[in-house]
Amino acid sequence: MESSDGKEEVRLVRVGTRKSQLARIQTDLVVEKLKTENPDITYEIVAMTTTGDQILDVALSKIGEKSLFTKELERALERKEVDLVVHSLKDLPTALPAGFCIGTILKREDPRDAVVIAEQHDGKALAMLPAGSVIGTSSLRRVAQLRRLYPHLNFKDIRGNLNTRLRKLDAEGGPYAALVLAAAGLIRMGWGHRISQLLSPDICMYAVGQGALAVETRVGDDDILSQLSKLTDPSTALRCVAERAFLRKLEGGCSVPVAVHSELENYQLSLMGVILSLDGTQAMDNKMVVDVTKGIGNEVKANFASRAGISLTTPSLAELATADWLGTSLAQSLLGKGAAAVLEQARIENAST
């Protein structure tokens, strides 16, 4: 494109992200894909600190803010200081502010949780650790599930970025026998070799959206949405839309233990979800499957389009709405069995401890 004076005009797109090393690595992954698809555009990364990055002495579940890692980025997006924002999808609230949408969901990295064992316990899995061993994790979801299977272990909150957490684990004389972290982050940081154990769904189901990257932008910014559309992974998008609908209907977040496991094979989208009490003694789960090609009513599609905050050209609107219906229906099945009371009790107990 040339300007009025005949010079080549540079198209510049500003990409917002958090300042952490993992966030920058993830953003670099997205930007490289954008450059490949849009070689005529220059992408500039704008890194900033979020509220969640600043509060490191309080457990995430205690802070009571749903947009801990997104609010400052969305303000920059609103002020047009950036054109799009790269998120770990699990950090993105299920209800976006008015005027914003998810423009793409990229192919998911391994969504499972991973165990990183301290050197003195090398070669052991969680079940093999001595009684009283301290396991570091910042997630109520992980603690609630793991306490049920490993009552001999103690769980302690640990904050900070991945580098900080691993330093605490590796510190001589430190309290931690192991950490439980998202496998995706370790893999993207190049630390997959530190993983001692990957937790299967029968041990610990993962967080909604875990392992997936999403890009948020402004509704109606067709140029940016067109650039982002080329990056979407349809399978990941359908799985994550179902998971987010499940969490949204339950009105869950990091202050309550909610976990999922999803699969898509031969157009059959399956979603398993569980809600738990904080100590893991109460658990309610269910699984549902839907054929995403069968389609659903126009009213359901219209409702999805108006509230989901997702603007993807692929998969189709009908398929995305079907995935959303699956997540909502699964949540309703648990609410019908009394899940609301379990979740409310978890919120009360978490606020009081």
Side-chain angles (χ1 to χ4, degrees):
M1 181 184 298
E2 291 187 354
S3 61
S4 56
D5 59 6
K7 293 182 179 179
E8 186 76 13
E9 184 175 320
V10 177
R11 294 178 64 194
L12 178 65
V13 172
R14 293 181 173 87
V15 182
T17 184
R18 293 164 58 194
K19 284 186 174 179
S20 75
Q21 185 180 356
L22 177 58
R24 289 301 302 267
I25 286 172
Q26 293 179 159
T27 301
D28 287 344
L29 289 171
V30 174
V31 168
E32 284 305 310
K33 291 180 183 295
L34 283 168
K35 286 179 177 177
T36 299
E37 296 291 345
N38 308 282
D40 59 324
I41 299 175
T42 298
Y43 293 92
E44 177 184 284
I45 296 175
V46 180
M48 58 195 79
T49 302
T50 67
T51 302
D53 297 316
Q54 295 173 314
I55 304 175
L56 297 176
D57 57 347
V58 181
L60 292 176
S61 60
K62 302 287 188 184
I63 299 173
E65 168 64 62
K66 289 186 176 181
S67 53
L68 282 174
F69 297 106
T70 62
K71 185 162 56 177
E72 287 77 11
L73 294 164
E74 287 173 336
R75 284 175 179 167
L77 194 58
E78 183 177 30
R79 293 191 294 259
K80 298 190 176 181
E81 296 168 357
V82 297
D83 302 294
L84 54 93
V85 176
V86 178
H87 297 288
S88 291
L89 185 55
K90 71 174 183 176
D91 293 337
L92 199 56
T94 55
L96 301 185
F100 299 142
C101 65
I102 294 174
T104 189
I105 299 175
L106 289 84
K107 185 174 177 60
R108 196 175 208 168
E109 185 51 88
D110 192 330
R112 290 176 293 178
D113 287 319
V115 179
V116 180
I117 295 286
E119 185 177 2
Q120 65 267 32
H121 298 295
D122 188 37
K124 295 179 180 177
L126 287 178
M128 301 164 60
L129 291 173
S133 295
V134 176
I135 312 301
T137 178
S138 59
S139 164
L140 295 180
R141 169 189 59 82
R142 293 173 183 141
V143 173
Q145 293 182 87
L146 295 175
R147 272 181 175 162
R148 303 178 73 201
L149 292 176
Y150 309 116
H152 69 293
L153 301 178
N154 292 330
F155 296 88
K156 182 179 180 181
D157 188 73
I158 184 169
R159 289 293 314 280
N161 57 37
L162 278 178
N163 313 56
T164 301
R165 296 185 200 193
L166 289 174
R167 279 199 300 270
K168 292 178 179 179
L169 175 68
D170 296 337
E172 187 174 351
Y176 300 103
L179 304 181
V180 183
L181 305 162
L186 290 165
I187 293 168
R188 289 182 180 132
M189 290 283 283
W191 296 336
H193 63 281
R194 293 294 308 263
I195 296 174
S196 306
Q197 180 183 5
L198 286 167
L199 300 180
S200 57
D202 58 315
I203 295 176
C204 188
M205 291 197 285
Y206 44 79
V208 165
Q210 186 160 302
L213 300 179
V215 180
E216 185 179 16
T217 189
R218 293 178 289 268
V219 171
D221 194 334
D222 293 337
D223 180 38
I224 296 297
L225 287 169
S226 175
Q227 296 172 43
L228 294 175
S229 67
K230 305 167 187 175
L231 274 56
T232 300
D233 179 68
S235 175
T236 301
L238 289 169
R239 292 170 62 192
C240 289
V241 164
E243 293 171 15
R244 286 171 62 82
F246 176 72
L247 186 64
R248 183 179 62 246
K249 185 64 179 179
L250 292 174
E251 298 181 353
C254 63
S255 62
V256 292
V258 176
V260 294
H261 177 79
S262 64
E263 295 179 358
L264 178 64
E265 188 172 353
N266 296 325
Y267 304 107
Q268 300 297 306
L269 177 61
S270 67
L271 178 64
M272 179 183 291
V274 62
I275 62 100
L276 306 103
S277 59
L278 289 190
D279 61 6
T281 56
Q282 289 181 282
M284 303 177 68
D285 60 43
N286 198 5
K287 178 180 179 180
M288 294 180 66
V289 182
V290 68
D291 185 333
V292 295
T293 66
K294 289 294 179 64
I296 49 179
N298 289 331
E299 183 179 347
V300 177
K301 285 193 288 186
N303 288 339
F304 168 76
S306 65
R307 62 162 169 73
I310 292 177
S311 182
L312 306 178
T313 56
T314 180
S316 69
L317 175 60
E319 290 171 331
L320 290 166
T322 301
D324 185 85
W325 173 88
L326 174 65
T328 301
S329 298
L330 184 64
Q332 287 174 330
S333 75
L334 294 181
L335 291 171
K337 297 177 181 178
V342 177
L343 291 173
E344 182 58 27
Q345 185 61 33
R347 290 188 183 95
I348 293 170
E349 291 178 7
N350 180 54
S352 64
T353 56

